[in-house]
Amino acid sequence: MVKARDIEPESDRELVLTRIIPAKREKLYRAWTEPELLKQWFAPAPYTTPVAELDVRPGGTTRIVMRDPDGNDLPNPGVYLEVVPNERIVMTDAFTSAWGPSEKPFMTAIVTFEDAPGGTRYTARVRHWSVEDRKTHEEMGFHQGWGQCADQLAALVAKL
């Protein structure tokens, strides 16, 4: 996989990761929207994703659970805001289900799939509610973790 030219964040509350993945965007979209595929790449190894419940439509809920190497579960509930098959997925943790607000919103993720020389330009824009939340996410290892997941995603779609 070749790293694409970095895309600048649109604000001081945004983190961005982009890659050129040598696969058709339909495969990347499937890996984001089919639970059994998402479980295979979503968490950076050695973390796993034992649960992926996805109602992929605007207003639909998503419940993804990551598990750390010690067996601790890290639930990630959210709601899809926009879904354009094979092009764009927007989701947020600001809501947990049926537009019920979460206790502490942290981010909104905008994932896009665009045709590019050599495959698909995969871009993840993660917008945070505050600069402090962005800094926290960056310090948690956003670039390394999301980058590792992008590599795992690329390896998976190469086999589809």
Side-chain angles (χ1 to χ4, degrees):
M1 177 173 35
V2 177
K3 182 175 180 183
R5 186 166 39 102
D6 287 337
I7 295 175
E8 289 297 317
E10 292 179 359
S11 78
D12 60 356
R13 294 181 297 152
E14 183 176 77
L15 295 169
V16 182
L17 176 116
T18 187
R19 298 280 190 274
I20 301 296
I21 297 179
K24 293 192 177 286
R25 54 190 172 134
E26 291 83 2
K27 290 183 178 185
L28 296 170
Y29 180 80
R30 281 186 56 208
W32 266 95
T33 59
E34 294 180 19
E36 292 309 311
L37 294 177
L38 185 128
K39 288 178 184 182
Q40 296 178 54
W41 68 269
F42 188 80
Y47 285 68
T48 61
T49 307
V51 177
E53 297 170 0
L54 313 173
D55 181 7
V56 185
R57 62 181 176 82
T61 59
T62 175
R63 188 172 85 86
I64 300 170
V65 176
M66 294 189 297
R67 183 168 290 151
D68 73 17
D70 296 325
N72 299 304
D73 285 347
L74 307 164
N76 295 281
V79 169
Y80 292 98
L81 301 176
E82 181 182 16
V83 177
V84 180
N86 305 317
E87 292 181 22
R88 180 178 171 98
I89 298 170
V90 181
M91 59 196 156
T92 185
D93 67 356
F95 302 102
T96 55
S97 64
W99 303 110
S102 67
E103 267 188 48
K104 169 63 173 94
F106 183 67
M107 65 180 214
T108 296
I110 302 164
V111 179
T112 57
F113 316 102
E114 301 171 282
D115 291 333
T120 298
R121 180 184 307 277
Y122 168 76
T123 302
R125 289 185 176 278
V126 181
R127 295 180 176 163
H128 300 84
W129 296 100
S130 68
V131 171
E132 293 75 29
D133 286 344
R134 188 220 16 106
K135 287 179 184 175
T136 297
H137 201 182
E138 196 165 32
E139 290 167 1
M140 287 170 56
F142 169 82
H143 294 288
Q144 178 183 358
W146 282 63
Q148 181 178 341
C149 289
D151 292 343
Q152 293 168 182
L153 173 61
L156 174 66
V157 298
K159 297 184 281 183
L160 294 181

